[in-house]
């Protein structure tokens, strides 16, 4: 894959991709969602190799792209679970092959199971209303 002039920057709490041949910056979050949080999809859309993307990420924001993708995926999962989406649906929407894999990753990331998270969120909403 041919290297392109690429820069990753953070602006107003969002991560943007600046490409030399694109007039406007691209939202890294939107690219990640569209590619189901897969490294290969991110590389394809930006037009760089995984190795070059790692370099650009670490220079731009100081984190590995796989770590950033995982964080983005878990933030999206938390948001969907807060909305009351079923766990299986969240797993499918975020590109997990099984809901079991999703539950395991969610628990490793947040320290509690998705069902526990939803119960706590529902309890918080209930307590806020009362």
């Amino acid at each position: 894959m041919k290297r392109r002039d690429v820069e990753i920057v953070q602006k107003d709490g969002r991560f943007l991709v600046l490409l030399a041949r694109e007039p406007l910056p691209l939202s890294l979050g939107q690219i990640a969602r569209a590619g189901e949080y897969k490294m290969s999809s991110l590389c394809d859309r930006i037009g760089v190799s995984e190795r070059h993307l790692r370099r650009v990420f670490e220079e731009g924001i100081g984190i590995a792209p796989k770590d950033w993708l995982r964080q983005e995926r878990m933030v999206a999962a938390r948001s969907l679970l807060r909305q009351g989406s079923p766990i299986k649906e969240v797993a499918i929407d975020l590109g997990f092959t099984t809901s079991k894999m999703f539950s395991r990753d969610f628990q490793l990331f947040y320290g509690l199971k998705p069902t526990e998270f939803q119960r706590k969120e529902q309890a918080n909403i209930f307590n806020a209303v009362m």
Side-chain angles (χ1 to χ4, degrees):
M1 211 177 263
K2 186 179 176 188
R3 286 175 75 178
R4 294 172 67 180
D5 292 323
V6 178
E7 187 178 352
I8 303 210
V9 296
Q10 185 176 9
K11 184 176 181 183
D12 300 328
R14 294 177 37 209
F15 292 102
L16 303 172
V17 179
L18 305 174
L19 300 173
R21 295 191 178 115
E22 295 282 336
L24 298 173
L26 305 173
S27 167
L28 199 55
Q30 289 177 348
I31 295 169
R33 273 189 298 283
E36 293 185 332
Y37 303 95
K38 292 186 173 95
M39 183 77 158
S40 59
S41 297
L42 192 61
C43 290
D44 288 345
R45 176 62 181 98
I46 295 173
V48 296
S49 68
E50 281 191 30
R51 183 175 179 203
H52 187 59
L53 187 64
R54 274 193 306 274
R55 261 189 251 118
V56 169
F57 251 85
E58 289 173 8
E59 287 172 8
I61 57 176
I63 188 173
K66 284 187 179 184
D67 293 336
W68 179 83
L69 282 168
R70 182 172 184 246
Q71 288 176 5
E72 285 293 302
R73 197 179 202 190
M74 289 296 113
V75 168
R78 187 180 63 200
S79 177
L80 291 169
L81 290 171
R82 270 195 181 127
Q83 296 169 13
S85 298
I87 293 167
K88 286 183 181 182
E89 190 176 302
V90 173
I92 291 167
D93 288 350
L94 297 178
F96 286 91
T97 52
T98 66
S99 58
K100 187 175 181 176
M101 288 179 70
F102 164 66
S103 293
R104 182 200 55 175
D105 282 2
F106 190 90
Q107 187 170 6
L108 285 170
F109 195 81
Y110 287 114
L112 66 158
K113 295 176 184 177
T115 52
E116 294 168 347
F117 175 80
Q118 280 188 321
R119 276 190 219 116
K120 282 186 175 189
E121 286 297 309
Q122 289 170 352
N124 289 341
I125 291 169
F126 181 75
N127 291 334
V129 172
M130 295 312 223

